Amino acid sequence: MAPKAAAAAAEEAPAPQTPRKRGRPRKVPVEQAPEEAAATAGQDATKRRRGRPRKTAASSDKLQGGNNNSPAAPPSHQQSVDAGEASPFSVLPREEKRVLLGHLNRFESSAGVQDRALELYVNSQLFQTAINEFRTWMLRALTDDLRAVLLELPSGSAAQELLFGYFAQFVLTKFKKEVRAYRDLVKTVDLRQPHLWYPIARSMKRRIIYHAGPTNSGKTYHALQAMTAAPSGVYCGPLRLLAMEIYDSCNANGTYCNLITGQERKEVEGASHTSCTIEMTSTQKRVDVAVIDEIQMIGDEQRGWAWTRALQGLAANEIHLCGDASALPLVRQMADAMGEELTVQSYDRFTPLAIEERYLRRGYASVQPGDCVVAFSRRDIFDIKQIIEQSTGYRVCVVYGALPPEMRRNQARLFNAPDNSYDVLVASDAIGMGLNLNIRRVIFHTLHKFEGNFKQPVSVSQIKQIAGRAGRRNSQYNKGVVTCLNKADMPRLREALDTPLEDLSTPAAGLFPEFEHLEMFAGQLPEESFARLLTRFGEEARLDGTYFFCKQDSVIHLAKLLSRVPSLTLEERYHLCNAPCNTRDPRSASAFLHFASQYALGVPVTLDIAEPKKAPASPEELRHMEAVHQIVSLYIWLSFRFKRDMYPGQQSAMRLSERIINLMAEGLHNIGAPGSLVFEQGKRAVAVANVRHNRILTSANEVSSDYWERYWTDGRGRRKSYALDRQSTQSGMQLAA
Ligand SMILES: Nc1ncnc2c1ncn2[C@@H]1O[C@H](COP(=O)(O)OP(=O)(O)OP(=O)(O)O)[C@@H](O)[C@H]1O
């Protein structure tokens, strides 16, 4: 049993069973303290063997009283360990010693013993100490009767059961204080009934409606219809972008709606509705109808907790969930636990989605208007953009996660508009949610992506979600097509699209402690740093199979950074650590530390960032500007969390953010345009550009050494160029294609 699972089962601390068939294993009642339970354990086992009446917990003290004449009762710990008597073991015949030590060796090395000890609130650290001392104690405790029983037993589980009873008695007597302390600690991290954290929601009679279906099937449309028809409502979405879309469309259609995200608070006078990112949703404010979008994200390893919280905590009479059917069994289980009614409405896709069996044979030279190329790294996205723009003449929009939502929206609008030359989109998986796009064909650049340091296959549900963007209702195309750049990826694409959504499952819902939980936990461990508290909370959390503890790497990273900042309360640390700081970027991390330090000193927090003057001219410059924008965005986020007078620069930060976004948009427009320079990092050629004659070539056969020149930036950012010979030009074209 895994330690957490064992801890979860700890309320039923088992007493040892009889070594032979007699009687069923005894379970200690939930209320019974484990030390009481175990105090009876060893004796109980041997007594039952002998047909004596079962001993009760109440009588255990008496039996423990060290009556060595009572053959099955070992001497108490005090008696056996402290009295300093010679061990009865030392005078035994060699063969008996061998058998008895064999039992003890097997017991000590058995994997199950430590897990069972956890059920008695013996943690792993204490277990090591206890198991080391147990052997000495046991050999001293060896009565004639116990010895006879052990010698009689084969070397299997019956002997282990018997020894475990004695181990329990030993550890719970000798380490009483430690066991109690651990039990109290574990009780503060009992997360098995998180729905009870929300008293308002539990006092209501809520109805849950699950809109289940594939992409582009009208799930969100129907849920939003219910929300806007109600006197009051809230939309909870996974992205700022989606929250902004719903805010705009509600207000445009006459439903007054506020916007609340980490970085925005837009209040509309007389608004009855709110559109927010799911982390920002209130569990206090009553509304008639709530919509939770992309409910399958309840299983997301980092953000799943926000969906669990919304589903269990929203104070809404009616809750509409939109998503694929993969989370349905889990939601059903959670609804049952809350005693709430669940109705399911199923949907089919509006338009057909077909696989184009001819993968992109001529590479990106053969893209067409309405194509969306999906790649999973920023570098690939810009390489592909440049290759397409320079080999086809189409203008390319890009969408990826690090672009601010305003820019993603802006790029989507450019791509959707019929009257411009932006006909092709190159995007990351960020297009999987939230954008209505005029896509005819999705082309997967690859079906692998880096997760941390490892290349992993893209998941089936992600392939489905992204592919489903093609041929969307209300777009120009009444059917969607999907294919891959490489032939080798085609079988996986087919397999993913053929997998029914019902076969995918979201096994468990994410959880993350509310501040109150951490506060209680901190009360048990007053000496621990905040980062250690978070780690230990995750380690000790008691969960059943319905929930898992969300990954908290970034939170712990920030908590460690904050350990250098004194004078912050636990609550301040908790909120600071949940800030959207890009911990992989040292500039963001150092800005975070600067903001937190100023705040801790009680001086107004300043945003010392100079306004950029010109648009980025290369992907590298754009990346730099994205990082600057993330810092500005972090400042704005903090300014909404903490007292406004501590962040006096909120308004100027918002203006700066807007200015940076405009420059980035301008930069995106220029980067990779025909005739512009082609940049290369390191040594690999990514494309060749016909800059001298501005002639657009579509196949390697047309290449002639007269026409081509190659540009790149060297390691120090200097631009260099040289004319390509025919062979290099052709290999450049092959790379480009
Ligand atoms: N009954 C309807 N009348 C008009 N338009 C509709 C209707 N149902 C859905 N649509 C439109 O079809 C498109 C897809 O609908 P919707 O966004 O609700 O699908 P979905 O299943 O939630 O898709 P996804 O999971 O991909 O977001 C949207 O543009 C939506 O406005």
Side-chain angles (χ1 to χ4, degrees), residues 214-221 350 436 469 472-474:
T215 52
N216 187 23
S217 59
K219 309 176 295 284
T220 321
Y221 177 89
F350 287 131
N436 273 322
R469 299 287 116 189
R472 208 166 162 77
R473 178 173 174 160
N474 292 351

Side-chain angles (χ1 to χ4, degrees), residues 202-216:
R202 293 295 73 76
S203 69
M204 298 172 75
K205 184 117 191 76
R206 307 186 315 167
R207 272 185 68 221
I208 303 174
I209 298 105
Y210 195 125
H211 300 266
T215 52
N216 187 23

Side-chain angles (χ1 to χ4, degrees), residues 252-291:
N253 296 323
T255 302
Y256 294 140
C257 183
N258 296 323
L259 175 67
I260 304 181
T261 72
Q263 286 84 346
E264 286 125 328
R265 297 280 191 289
K266 290 191 182 167
E267 296 200 358
V268 173
E269 210 181 315
S272 49
H273 287 64
T274 301
S275 176
C276 60
T277 39
I278 193 152
E279 282 86 353
M280 301 305 296
T281 197
S282 164
T283 54
Q284 309 291 317
K285 193 174 166 205
R286 288 175 190 262
V287 289
D288 292 288
V289 171
V291 174

Side-chain angles (χ1 to χ4, degrees), residues 265-447:
R265 297 280 191 289
K266 290 191 182 167
E267 296 200 358
V268 173
E269 210 181 315
S272 49
H273 287 64
T274 301
S275 176
C276 60
T277 39
I278 193 152
E279 282 86 353
M280 301 305 296
T281 197
S282 164
T283 54
Q284 309 291 317
K285 193 174 166 205
R286 288 175 190 262
V287 289
D288 292 288
V289 171
V291 174
I292 304 179
D293 210 352
E294 306 293 351
I295 183 64
Q296 70 280 356
M297 284 192 72
I298 199 165
D300 186 87
E301 58 178 21
Q302 282 173 8
R303 293 178 67 204
W305 64 268
W307 275 261
T308 308
R309 174 176 169 273
L311 174 58
Q312 297 183 326
L314 276 168
N317 297 326
E318 212 170 271
I319 302 187
H320 291 255
L321 312 176
C322 310
D324 62 45
S326 65
L328 186 54
L330 179 64
V331 168
R332 203 185 291 285
Q333 205 179 331
M334 292 166 76
D336 284 350
M338 295 185 285
E340 289 176 348
E341 182 192 328
L342 172 70
T343 315
V344 182
Q345 287 179 20
S346 299
Y347 299 81
D348 291 324
R349 204 182 140 85
F350 287 131
T351 52
L353 179 66
I355 294 184
E356 191 172 79
E357 290 296 339
R358 283 175 303 125
Y359 58 97
L360 230 57
R361 286 214 183 123
R362 285 176 51 234
Y364 291 125
S366 54
V367 293
Q368 294 159 11
D371 277 350
C372 169
V373 180
V374 176
F376 298 98
S377 86
R378 189 180 179 286
R379 181 176 169 164
D380 282 346
I381 287 173
F382 279 100
D383 287 356
I384 297 165
K385 172 177 158 68
Q386 292 184 337
I387 290 164
I388 293 175
E389 293 197 329
Q390 292 171 7
S391 60
T392 66
Y394 298 129
R395 298 304 317 269
V396 172
C397 293
V398 299
V399 168
Y400 54 93
L403 285 182
E406 294 87 344
M407 280 190 71
R408 278 182 262 161
R409 254 176 129 183
N410 172 280
Q411 291 288 298
R413 282 181 188 153
L414 266 182
F415 173 68
N416 286 345
D419 51 359
N420 65 25
S421 56
Y422 284 93
D423 292 329
V424 176
L425 180 65
V426 179
S428 72
D429 43 354
I431 54 147
M433 275 187 283
L435 291 167
N436 273 322
L437 294 161
N438 254 330
I439 299 174
R440 186 187 75 82
R441 177 170 66 167
V442 164
I443 301 162
F444 283 99
H445 175 67
T446 163
L447 286 179

Side-chain angles (χ1 to χ4, degrees), residues 78-299:
Q78 286 303 324
Q79 207 180 10
S80 60
V81 178
D82 295 344
E85 294 160 9
S87 159
F89 179 78
S90 56
V91 294
L92 294 179
R94 182 186 285 188
E95 179 53 21
E96 288 192 11
K97 279 184 181 171
R98 192 189 61 76
V99 174
L100 292 171
L101 288 177
H103 279 317
L104 278 168
N105 288 342
R106 276 185 294 277
F107 176 73
E108 286 168 17
S109 58
S110 151
V113 174
Q114 186 167 353
D115 288 343
R116 288 189 66 189
L118 260 180
E119 296 174 5
L120 301 172
Y121 299 98
V122 175
N123 66 22
S124 51
Q125 220 179 343
L126 177 58
F127 179 79
Q128 289 314 326
T129 315
I131 201 84
N132 290 341
E133 293 186 22
F134 172 63
R135 173 181 291 241
T136 319
W137 179 85
M138 192 65 203
L139 295 179
R140 286 190 179 169
L142 212 54
T143 59
D144 291 346
D145 197 44
L146 176 56
R147 181 168 51 92
V149 172
L150 280 170
L151 289 174
E152 228 183 89
L153 284 174
S155 61
S157 59
Q160 304 238 339
E161 282 297 328
L162 182 63
L163 286 175
F164 189 81
Y166 286 105
F167 174 73
Q169 181 192 349
F170 165 72
V171 76
L172 297 176
T173 314
K174 167 118 197 236
F175 299 101
K176 197 169 184 168
K177 219 171 86 208
E178 289 86 343
V179 168
R180 280 215 170 126
Y182 185 59
R183 192 180 65 201
D184 291 346
L185 185 84
V186 166
K187 283 195 170 153
T188 60
V189 286
D190 190 342
L191 308 183
R192 286 171 302 169
Q193 293 197 302
H195 61 280
L196 299 181
W197 302 350
Y198 308 103
I200 303 181
R202 293 295 73 76
S203 69
M204 298 172 75
K205 184 117 191 76
R206 307 186 315 167
R207 272 185 68 221
I208 303 174
I209 298 105
Y210 195 125
H211 300 266
T215 52
N216 187 23
S217 59
K219 309 176 295 284
T220 321
Y221 177 89
H222 284 96
L224 289 174
Q225 290 282 92
M227 183 188 88
T228 47
S232 64
V234 62
Y235 166 85
C236 312
L239 302 171
R240 270 177 76 200
L241 183 76
L242 266 163
M244 287 153 85
E245 290 283 339
I246 303 300
Y247 162 81
D248 283 345
S249 69
C250 281
N251 286 312
N253 296 323
T255 302
Y256 294 140
C257 183
N258 296 323
L259 175 67
I260 304 181
T261 72
Q263 286 84 346
E264 286 125 328
R265 297 280 191 289
K266 290 191 182 167
E267 296 200 358
V268 173
E269 210 181 315
S272 49
H273 287 64
T274 301
S275 176
C276 60
T277 39
I278 193 152
E279 282 86 353
M280 301 305 296
T281 197
S282 164
T283 54
Q284 309 291 317
K285 193 174 166 205
R286 288 175 190 262
V287 289
D288 292 288
V289 171
V291 174
I292 304 179
D293 210 352
E294 306 293 351
I295 183 64
Q296 70 280 356
M297 284 192 72
I298 199 165

